[in-house]
Amino acid sequence: MPRVLVLFAHPAYEKSRVNRRLVEAIADLDEITVHDLYEAYPDFRIDVAAEQARLVAHDVIVLQHPFYWYSAPALLKEYLDLVLEHGFAYGSQGHALDGKLLMNATTTGGAESAYQIGGRNRFTMRQLLAPFDQTAFLCRMTYLAPFVVHGALRIDAEGGLDVAERRYRALLVALRDGTLDLARAVEGSRINDLVADA
């Protein structure tokens, strides 16, 4: 059974509406580790050796975060900068992450229509997350299409938050149980629609 690690990064968890609900939706799942980076490292002093060991111990890495300035919160970037070292994650001697899966689970303030070719943000989410895709490629990992919840500032239960929670939970169960169609997950624009509501 694949071991799933969720690296959760939100600098204001107490104010989060959607990311908090998504984390709560998966907190009770067996064989899924949720690691809150801002709780573990409020001073940004990341224990690189411990984090490398944590990555090695898991098969699927989910980066869960709000979409800040077309990327991730600062601590997640710091994590990637420090933990994915040459000789560990990439390079001729860096094979620790070979074959693992990587994906983003993220939320946007704007509506889905803003993240389209010709939309306000000019690019799709898959295109804007290309640096993570390339990071996976460099580390010989397989990058899956992102799980995205749009309109986080306005979404409510009736508007889709309950559905997003159920689908996120179902997605992580499918990743854990090895039942997700990985070929479609790699090629898709977003992974949300590949899982039915739990």
Side-chain angles (χ1 to χ4, degrees):
M1 177 180 292
R3 296 155 296 176
V4 179
L5 172 63
V6 177
L7 294 174
F8 176 61
H10 197 307
Y13 179 80
E14 67 283 357
K15 295 180 181 177
S16 169
R17 295 179 61 244
V18 178
N19 271 286
R20 185 177 66 229
R21 293 273 301 270
L22 295 178
V23 166
E24 291 170 355
I26 62 170
D28 65 332
L29 292 175
D30 294 332
E31 306 300 325
I32 292 178
T33 305
V34 178
H35 184 42
D36 186 336
L37 294 179
Y38 276 92
E39 181 177 81
Y41 303 113
D43 57 1
F44 278 54
R45 298 178 68 177
I46 295 170
D47 184 336
V48 172
E51 295 304 327
Q52 289 179 343
R54 197 183 319 275
L55 290 177
V56 168
H58 293 83
D59 305 294
V60 181
I61 314 300
V62 178
L63 307 176
Q64 184 186 333
H65 58 90
F67 197 53
Y68 280 6
W69 281 107
Y70 308 105
S71 187
L75 182 55
L76 183 53
K77 179 64 167 65
E78 179 82 349
Y79 180 99
L80 297 176
D81 288 347
L82 296 180
V83 177
L84 303 186
E85 291 180 311
H86 182 267
F88 168 76
Y90 69 98
S92 62
Q93 302 300 314
H95 294 279
L97 305 179
D98 287 13
K100 296 181 186 291
L101 304 178
L102 179 73
M103 65 168 287
N104 295 84
T106 191
T107 58
T108 70
E112 183 174 0
S113 60
Y115 295 89
Q116 305 295 328
I117 301 296
R120 181 177 182 186
N121 294 304
R122 304 176 53 220
F123 300 99
T124 67
M125 285 299 294
R126 184 74 193 244
Q127 291 170 324
L128 290 167
L129 291 166
F132 295 95
D133 190 337
Q134 178 58 25
T135 297
F137 179 79
L138 184 66
C139 297
R140 304 179 188 91
M141 305 171 79
T142 298
Y143 186 74
L144 305 180
F147 181 88
V148 184
V149 180
H150 290 288
L153 301 177
R154 291 173 294 280
I155 193 171
D156 55 20
E158 293 76 25
L161 183 52
D162 287 352
V163 172
E165 280 183 46
R166 291 195 299 272
R167 288 193 175 175
Y168 189 51
R169 182 181 174 89
L171 169 64
L172 292 193
V173 168
L175 287 167
R176 179 196 66 190
D177 295 346
T179 59
L180 187 70
D181 183 339
L182 292 180
R184 292 181 66 199
V186 167
E187 296 298 325
S189 59
R190 67 177 198 172
I191 206 167
N192 302 48
D193 300 329
L194 296 185
V195 290
D197 295 354

